[in-house]
């Protein structure tokens, strides 16, 4: 069984958004993680000059099952090797160090995303997509690229999938949704109003809704039945086209796709072989005849 991790990442990312009493507890745990994992809710409340009730509220704010869940994750974090901070690119930096920094940053992002994906929420998402009449991915800006990637993957295994970035087109499709249709709203920040609005509309017609955002409560995740989180690692100043967020989103989509594919393995292999043959056929027909 895999060791649960990600507790310290969750606390760190949510620290500035928490109410005062919960912020005190989070700060204490971040400063004293080894001590914290051996304390009860009441003891943790006393150490942080708050209360046991505030500890329970903190766990709810983190979208965790309870204090034990948080402590298990922190204990897992403490077993890991020390992680490096995301590093920015400097002016006139060498190609060698850019390669090294970008690779390190990407690995860190992928690891944190794996830690933040809830197995329970992932299971719900897999079930919804397995039984979906159609799957619609909606994202704006860079998140639309992720929506297109998801559409291409699921089309390859014979799922009816679409990708939208125009809110009016998306609204037209959602208006005709059935109860087995699924809408996946993608927004790294979680604050994209258009994505939150489309998810809200899908909820009104009774469709299944899934959000893919960075970790933490947001207007997008609040509108979703199923919430998938990616690494909330802060982007370096240089950003490089929101590199970390894009990699985190792609990684989450890959995991979701592979989980769905694994549930229907033989059928998946058949569909992938058929699509590969179709692409090969087109490639051959496009070659100039001698």
């Amino acid at each position: 069984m895999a060791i649960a991790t990600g507790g310290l990442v969750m606390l760190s990312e949510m620290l500035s958004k928490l109410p005062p009493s919960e912020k005190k507890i989070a700060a204490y745990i971040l400063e004293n993680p080894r001590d914290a994992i051996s304390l009860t809710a009441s003891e943790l409340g006393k150490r942080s000059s708050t209360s046991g009730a505030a500890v329970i509220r903190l766990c709810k704010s983190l979208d965790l099952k309870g204090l034990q869940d948080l402590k298990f994750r922190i204990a897992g974090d403490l077993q890991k090797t020390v992680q490096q901070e995301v590093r920015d690119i400097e002016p006139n930096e060498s190609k060698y160090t850019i390669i090294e920094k970008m690779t390190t940053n990407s690995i860190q992002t992928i690891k944190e995303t794996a830690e933040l994906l809830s197995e329970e929420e992932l299971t719900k998402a897999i079930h919804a997509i397995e039984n979906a009449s159609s799957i619609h991915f909606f994202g704006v800006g860079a998140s639309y690229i992720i929506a297109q990637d998801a559409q291409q993957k699921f089309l390859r295994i014979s799922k009816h999938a679409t990708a939208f970035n125009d809110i009016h087109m998306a609204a037209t499709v959602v208006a005709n949704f059935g109860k087995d249709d699924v809408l996946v709203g993608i927004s790294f920040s979680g604050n994209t109003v258009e994505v939150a609005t489309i998810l809200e509309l899908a909820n009104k017609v009774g469709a299944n809704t899934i959000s893919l955002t960075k970790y933490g409560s947001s207007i997008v995740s609040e509108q979703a039945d199923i919430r998938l989180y990616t690494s909330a690692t802060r982007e370096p100043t240089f950003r490089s086209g929101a590199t970390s967020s894009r990699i985190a989103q792609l990684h989450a989509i890959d995991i979701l796709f592979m989980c769905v594919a694994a549930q229907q393995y033989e059928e998946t292999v058949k569909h992938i072989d058929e699509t590969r043959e179709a692409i090969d056929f087109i490639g051959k027909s496009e070659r100039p005849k001698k």
Side-chain angles (χ1 to χ4, degrees):
M1 183 177 178
I3 297 173
T5 54
L8 296 178
V9 172
M10 292 176 174
L11 290 167
S12 177
E13 295 303 332
M14 287 293 287
L15 190 62
S16 62
K17 304 173 186 176
L18 295 168
S21 59
E22 294 176 37
K23 187 179 291 185
K24 284 184 181 180
I25 301 163
Y28 175 83
I29 295 173
L30 287 168
E31 290 172 11
N32 308 277
R34 293 191 182 280
D35 292 337
I37 60 175
S38 64
L39 301 175
T40 64
S42 178
E43 290 168 338
L44 196 50
K46 287 179 182 177
R47 295 281 184 97
S48 57
S49 302
T50 58
S51 66
V55 173
I56 302 307
R57 290 198 299 273
L58 170 63
C59 295
K60 288 183 179 178
S61 295
L62 297 175
D63 211 6
L64 295 175
K65 296 174 184 176
L67 181 57
Q68 282 301 107
D69 191 2
L70 176 58
K71 291 200 293 186
F72 277 135
R73 286 177 174 273
I74 294 170
D77 291 333
L78 294 175
Q79 294 181 41
K80 297 189 299 183
T81 55
V82 177
Q83 294 180 335
Q84 294 180 301
E85 290 293 320
V86 170
R87 295 180 295 163
D88 207 350
I89 303 302
E90 303 296 334
N92 301 312
E93 188 151 4
S94 72
K95 291 185 285 294
Y96 173 81
T97 56
I98 288 174
I99 291 170
E100 192 271 331
K101 282 184 180 180
M102 293 298 290
T103 302
T104 300
N105 291 351
S106 295
I107 291 170
Q108 175 78 355
T109 296
I110 288 170
K111 285 183 176 179
E112 288 186 1
T113 295
E115 291 172 351
L116 293 170
L117 279 173
S118 160
E119 188 175 333
E120 183 178 340
E121 291 296 285
L122 184 60
T123 299
K124 291 178 185 176
I126 294 164
H127 180 74
I129 288 177
E130 272 188 304
N131 296 286
S133 299
S134 58
I135 315 155
H136 306 275
F137 299 92
F138 181 68
V140 175
S143 290
Y144 175 54
I145 298 171
I146 311 304
Q148 289 179 305
D149 179 76
Q151 178 196 21
Q152 189 270 346
K153 282 183 168 63
F154 283 99
L155 282 174
R156 287 205 69 188
I157 59 172
S158 196
K159 293 289 183 183
H160 182 267
T162 62
F164 293 97
N165 66 344
D166 183 289
I167 191 167
H168 296 284
M169 287 294 292
T172 301
V173 172
V174 169
N176 294 298
F177 266 11
K179 62 181 179 65
D180 293 325
D181 287 315
V182 173
L183 175 68
V184 183
I186 304 171
S187 166
F188 178 71
S189 70
N191 295 319
T192 310
V193 175
E194 295 93 332
V195 178
T197 301
I198 288 297
L199 284 169
E200 183 180 8
L201 182 60
N203 287 329
K204 286 184 177 180
V205 300
N208 295 301
T209 52
I210 301 171
S211 64
L212 178 62
T213 67
K214 71 176 182 178
Y215 181 74
S217 179
S218 66
I219 61 170
V220 171
S221 63
E222 286 172 1
Q223 291 296 335
D225 300 321
I226 302 165
R227 301 169 185 178
L228 301 179
Y229 296 118
T230 66
S231 167
T233 299
R234 290 152 296 284
E235 295 281 1
T237 304
F238 195 81
R239 291 183 64 85
S240 186
T243 301
S244 293
S245 58
R246 175 173 51 81
I247 287 171
Q249 291 171 319
L250 287 169
H251 187 52
I253 291 294
D254 283 348
I255 290 170
L256 179 60
F257 170 75
M258 288 299 182
C259 287
V260 172
Q263 296 299 310
Q264 46 189 51
Y265 185 82
E266 295 299 329
E267 190 178 344
T268 294
V269 171
K270 173 177 172 289
H271 289 312
I272 288 177
D273 285 343
E274 288 171 346
T275 55
R276 185 182 294 115
E277 288 172 9
I279 296 299
D280 287 345
F281 176 79
I282 290 172
K284 290 175 183 177
S285 67
E286 289 177 343
R287 292 171 192 162
K289 295 180 180 179
K290 294 181 181 179

